[in-house]
Every structure is written in C-alpha cells, then in structure tokens.
Amino acid sequence: MALQPLSAGELAETPTLFASFMGYVDRGHKTFGQLLAIYRERSKTLHVDDDQANDLRVGRFMDDMSSSRWKSDVVIRIGVFDGTLLVIDGIHRGIAYLACIEEGISPDRLPALHVAC
C-alpha cells in the first residue's frame, strides 16, 4: 500500500463513505468539509453519554494533533464503490486534521497527511 501526500484543500473536497453523521441523514456521500460543518454544529449539543458512535473523538484528535501529542502521520484509506472513490477509513482523523487547519494551525505544526492507495 503506497502513501501519497494530500493537501488540506484536497481533503476538504474528498468524498467519504458517510451519507449520515451525528444524526444528520442525507442520501449523498459527504465530503470532509461537509462532515466538519456537521461536527461543528452537532458537537455543541451532543452529550458524551449520548455519543454512541464516539464521534466526539474528533475533538480529542484535534487536541492531540495541535499539541504535538499525535505521534504518527494522519492516514486515510480509500476504496472504490460502483466506480466511485470514497474514503473508508480515517474519517474522524481527517475531520480533526481539517478542523485544525481551519482554526489556523499551520500544516507544518501538524502530522503529515496521507492517503493510502
């Protein structure tokens, strides 16, 4: 499995396997940018005891990435479904990485971002 570098801009536009997330249900697959928007909205009202899918881990991942406690690269994995490339693994890590970038943290201070092909 080869690792390819990925930019934050490319990540934001990359579609994931998720069509629903944190109670938001839709038909189409969501990009990382769309999932981050849903996370920002829903995480304010979701209590940890009600977080059955452990989606609030995005906040912990953000803290670890921005404080240099995250010790490995951020790797997302893609799969092909009916001819469409979708991210199938690393979605919460990718949301956290994108959130750090949007909060003004330089990619130089974050772990390297890769896609596994």
Side-chain angles (χ1 to χ4, degrees):
M1 176 173 9
L3 295 180
Q4 304 259 334
L6 188 66
S7 73
E10 291 169 321
L11 178 67
E13 297 300 318
T14 302
T16 69
L17 189 62
F18 289 3
S20 61
F21 182 61
M22 297 183 80
Y24 178 89
V25 179
D26 197 12
R27 290 185 198 170
H29 297 286
K30 299 290 166 245
T31 66
F32 279 96
Q34 292 169 318
L35 292 176
L36 176 56
I38 294 166
Y39 174 81
R40 290 200 187 282
E41 178 185 323
R42 306 269 171 139
S43 65
K44 296 174 191 172
T45 60
L46 182 62
H47 188 272
V48 70
D49 292 337
D50 299 324
D51 184 21
Q52 305 260 335
N54 197 20
D55 293 323
L56 294 177
R57 67 186 144 165
V58 169
R60 293 189 308 273
F61 290 172
M62 290 170 57
D63 290 343
D64 288 347
M65 287 179 195
S66 64
S67 66
S68 300
R69 288 189 306 263
W70 192 279
K71 299 300 181 193
S72 60
D73 290 351
V74 175
V75 178
I76 61 172
R77 193 164 54 101
I78 58 173
V80 180
F81 297 89
D82 294 328
T84 302
L85 287 175
L86 299 172
V87 173
I88 59 172
D89 185 44
I91 296 171
H92 290 83
R93 293 182 296 255
I95 295 168
Y97 185 92
L98 188 58
C100 287
I101 294 293
E102 286 191 359
E103 289 184 1
I105 299 169
S106 169
D108 296 337
R109 290 189 45 222
L110 294 171
L113 176 63
H114 297 285
V115 62
C117 304

